[in-house]
């Protein structure tokens, strides 16, 4: 499958490497490809870059910072129509110090905001509850843990779940419609505290049932 | 240890039975003991009842509905001073339908509100991330899962962790100060969605690390 990943940060790079390594076609979207190529963290990374407005793919992954996600998706534009758009972003706001708060939560979510802004895209919330080192390589933890999917389109959720399975995720938990993204995004403050106490990001939760 | 549990609902009854069964002294606090004794769900339950204002114990557990917790703790009053007070409550608000929202979250938490109202109590958030059927009987799930503690007083966290261990909890995760209660309470919307999809409450999360 041809996958376009929006965002050149750690999440975009990790997912780009992971999907490319298992044989999917990957292109990374960014505002300014020439500028991105000159960045230190891009050295040695063999992934094609394209400007947001030039992207086309079977599925898209939003791996931008939550504050920038709406602008990035809008820059891609009509190419998103009808496509599965996996949203990995979080609404973390560190501007008031630690612990971080969320800039949208409780009665709404970042994913729902993005879906409302792009009604023709088939948004699926996935990957946002774990660090990028775990997303593309679930086996790094030694034992199975859980990845969640939520979205209004059931076939889009199935496509996202299938992509997760391609990466080795054995426990893909379907939470139903996109209002479940509230719970997935509101997990982040707990994630941040677990991270703080462990002192490392290689962890995840497993739904024991 | 003598434990006073505030609240006669499913959480209070389950924790009362569980702590009593392993040899702790348990008394259940309620507004009106005579009225509680006449309630159908109290039949056959061999646990002593006392009015909130008559409670005294080594440790207290708030098992009241989140909306009523502040009034219940205030009714207990000075007996809480210096004591470990384990807060199991959640800020769930179902008044606007499904999915529920939280009536306090993100930059504050119910536990922090209670601690501010009762500065002499040594508040610890624990038990709020799971159903009452799991709290007192973690082995019901077959494999280990995680229980969290958060609170400003480290010895109070240790006391709470020790009480959890008494019940069979093998993975007690210390999250540090009480601001971590935000994350623990904000986990509830995800809990509710997992519950909805599984169709049963006997589940919990494990921090895989």
């Amino acid at each position: 499958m041809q996958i376009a990943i929006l965002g050149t940060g750690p999440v975009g790079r990790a997912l780009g490497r992971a999907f490319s390594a298992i044989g999917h076609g990957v292109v990374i979207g960014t505002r300014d490809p020439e500028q991105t190529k000159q960045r230190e963290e891009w050295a040695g990374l063999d992934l094609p870059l394209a400007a947001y407005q030039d992207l086309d793919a079977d599925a898209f992954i939003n791996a931008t910072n939550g504050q920038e996600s709406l602008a990035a998706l809008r820059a891609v534009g009509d190419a998103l129509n009808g496509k599965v758009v996996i949203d990995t972003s979080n609404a973390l706001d560190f501007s008031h110090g630690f612990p971080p708060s969320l800039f949208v939560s409780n009665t709404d979510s970042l994913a729902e905001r993005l879906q409302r802004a792009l009604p023709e895209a088939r948004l699926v919330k996935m990957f946002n509850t774990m660090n990028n080192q775990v997303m593309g390589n679930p086996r790094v933890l030694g034992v199975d843990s859980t990845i969640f999917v939520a979205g209004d389109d059931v076939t889009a959720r199935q496509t996202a779940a299938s992509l997760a399975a391609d990466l080795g995720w054995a426990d893909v938990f379907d939470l139903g419609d996109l209002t479940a993204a509230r719970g997935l995004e509101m997990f982040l403050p707990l994630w941040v505290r677990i991270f703080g106490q462990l002192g490392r990001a290689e962890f995840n939760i497993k739904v024991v049932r």
Side-chain angles (χ1 to χ4, degrees), chain A:
Chain A
M1 187 181 283
Q2 185 66 23
I3 302 172
I5 300 176
L6 288 67
T8 58
V11 173
R13 299 198 301 270
L15 288 177
R17 278 192 299 259
F19 280 115
S20 183
I22 58 173
H24 289 290
V26 171
V27 57
I28 307 285
T30 181
R31 269 189 300 266
D32 183 339
E34 290 310 312
Q35 195 182 52
T36 298
K37 278 176 196 163
Q38 288 160 30
R39 281 164 51 195
E40 192 181 347
E41 65 267 31
W42 208 256
L45 206 66
D46 189 25
L47 291 170
L49 283 162
Y52 286 144
Q53 64 270 22
D54 297 331
L55 291 178
D56 196 16
D58 304 309
F60 291 79
I61 299 177
N62 172 36
T64 64
N65 182 297
Q67 307 260 15
E68 298 161 18
S69 293
L70 186 54
L73 287 166
R74 282 195 164 134
V76 180
D78 289 346
L80 298 172
N81 290 352
K83 301 294 175 63
V84 174
V85 178
I86 296 172
D87 175 35
T88 76
S89 68
N90 274 304
L92 285 169
D93 177 5
F94 285 91
S95 66
H96 304 289
F98 190 88
S101 56
L102 303 180
F103 63 79
V104 55
S105 70
N106 202 15
T107 56
D108 197 5
S109 63
L110 186 51
E112 289 168 278
R113 278 191 184 176
L114 299 174
Q115 179 68 87
R116 285 196 300 271
L118 303 150
E120 301 297 315
R122 297 153 68 210
L123 214 83
V124 178
K125 193 88 199 182
M126 192 169 78
F127 288 126
N128 78 298
T129 55
M130 66 199 64
N131 182 265
N132 66 77
Q133 297 162 72
V134 180
M135 291 175 187
N137 186 17
R139 295 187 185 93
V140 73
L141 299 176
V143 294
D144 274 349
S145 58
T146 304
I147 189 167
F148 300 95
V149 292
D152 290 339
D153 183 310
V154 64
T155 60
R157 295 203 303 270
Q158 288 164 351
T159 300
S162 170
L163 286 170
D166 291 348
L167 294 173
W169 285 97
D171 185 24
V172 185
F173 197 111
D174 189 333
L175 288 173
D177 72 56
L178 199 60
T179 57
R182 297 174 198 180
L184 291 174
E185 296 178 12
M186 290 169 82
F187 173 67
L188 260 287
L190 179 54
W191 188 95
V192 168
R193 295 303 289 246
I194 296 169
F195 169 64
Q197 295 298 99
L198 285 180
R200 57 189 170 76
E202 296 88 351
F203 69 90
N204 190 24
I205 57 168
K206 165 76 181 170
V207 178
V208 177
R209 72 273 199 190

